[in-house]
Amino acid sequence: MSGNIQLLSDTLAGARSEGRAALIAYLPAGFPTVDGGIDAVKAVFDGGADVVEVGLPHSDPVLDGPVIQTADDIALKGGVRIADVMRTVREAYEATGKPVLVMTYWNPIDRYGIERFTAELAEAGGAGCILPDLPVQESDVWRQHADKHGLATVFVVAPSSRDDRLAKITAVGSGFVYAASLMGVTGTRQSVGAQAQDLVRRTRATTDLPVCVGLGVSDAAQAAEVAAFADGVIVGSAFVKLMLDAPDPEAGLAAVRGLAGELAEGVRKR
């Protein structure tokens, strides 16, 4: 079975044809448990997410703020393994037929084996990987394996990225471009702001790939603000925080389903 990069591309194109941005949710695998994490991914899809990024919990998540670090820590203490990440992707995809990506730092893939990782992700129905710390100039071997298995390679660009650097990144990425709305780690913010809009404009000048904005979006108003200038709105910490704060797992699932519904309305108000 080859990966689902085409499903990802079709989903993003479908949102654009409806005159709206796509809603992309992030949830870590294994949080609060492996089964609970799978249920959470299904819940955000049920609420209205178009795409879900499944995080591969890592002991040194340099891009992630305290909310996601806390969830990762819970997942790691629960013994989450790469096999559990693959199972999360498989069950979420088989239940919904919607695109599921993995967001991971490079070290776990490097240790696991690139061919093994890409083959298993494709076999699970995954659409690709977001690799926030893999330098483009060192990505050739990864991309060869990802391309062979029909997987997207999503790179992250930041407001500090110069135009020539953006062009190099977007020339070799696939699926979409992840535009980090501001410098710093993940987390909810009061405003996602002008920096993100400028980054999207500069990135679009270098590529026809969809440009999706993450880091800081937490409610429907912010989703609408970003949807006005981006192809996709990425939300992670807000979902994870709801689950951390929930009194029990069922309440957590209801909360993330509800937030997905509000955000899905937000991205349609561009």
Side-chain angles (χ1 to χ4, degrees):
M1 178 177 181
S2 63
N4 270 316
I5 186 173
Q6 192 61 50
L7 175 63
L8 175 65
S9 298
D10 290 348
T11 298
L12 294 169
R16 178 181 284 185
S17 73
E18 293 173 16
R20 67 174 180 89
L23 173 59
I24 303 174
Y26 166 92
L27 288 162
F31 167 74
T33 61
V34 175
D35 287 346
I38 292 167
D39 288 342
V41 174
K42 292 177 183 175
V44 294
F45 271 135
D46 190 40
D50 298 292
V51 179
V52 170
E53 306 169 10
V54 172
L56 194 160
H58 189 46
S59 54
D60 186 26
V62 291
L63 188 75
D64 294 310
V67 169
I68 290 172
Q69 284 186 23
T70 300
D72 276 6
D73 193 44
I74 290 167
L76 290 166
K77 283 178 177 166
V80 70
R81 296 284 180 267
I82 288 180
D84 300 313
V85 178
M86 298 298 178
R87 183 183 149 216
T88 301
V89 171
R90 179 193 310 280
E91 294 197 15
Y93 168 64
E94 288 179 351
T96 66
K98 294 182 178 178
V100 185
L101 298 123
V102 169
M103 184 164 188
T104 179
Y105 296 96
W106 180 245
N107 183 256
I109 294 177
D110 198 34
R111 282 170 41 202
Y112 196 71
I114 300 171
E115 171 58 21
R116 181 183 176 197
F117 189 94
T118 50
E120 288 182 8
L121 181 56
E123 200 273 328
C129 255
I130 301 163
L131 300 160
D133 67 341
L134 176 63
V136 168
Q137 63 272 22
E138 296 172 22
S139 67
D140 285 6
V141 175
W142 161 265
R143 287 186 287 111
Q144 287 166 17
H145 287 283
D147 290 349
K148 179 172 83 171
H149 291 292
L151 298 169
T153 298
V154 178
F155 288 112
V156 178
V157 298
S160 60
S161 303
R162 296 161 53 124
D163 290 354
D164 58 341
R165 172 95 180 133
L166 288 176
K168 285 177 181 155
I169 293 170
T170 59
V172 297
S174 54
F176 64 92
V177 182
Y178 187 127
S181 66
L182 33 76
M183 301 304 292
V185 297
T186 58
T188 60
R189 300 288 195 289
Q190 293 304 307
S191 173
V192 182
Q195 249 189 343
Q197 191 163 359
D198 180 62
L199 177 58
V200 169
R201 179 188 59 76
R202 292 193 299 118
T203 305
R204 278 195 177 139
T206 71
T207 185
D208 291 329
L209 287 171
V211 183
C212 303
V213 171
L215 272 64
V217 178
S218 60
D219 60 33
Q222 288 175 331
E225 177 192 350
V226 174
F229 60 80
D231 299 297
V233 180
I234 303 168
V235 181
S237 295
F239 285 116
V240 177
K241 189 171 189 313
L242 286 176
M243 292 178 65
L244 283 169
D245 292 347
D248 58 66
E250 284 307 313
L253 294 176
V256 296
R257 187 182 294 109
L259 177 61
E262 291 167 23
L263 293 166
E265 285 184 27
V267 299
R268 287 163 169 80
K269 291 178 180 171
R270 53 196 305 182

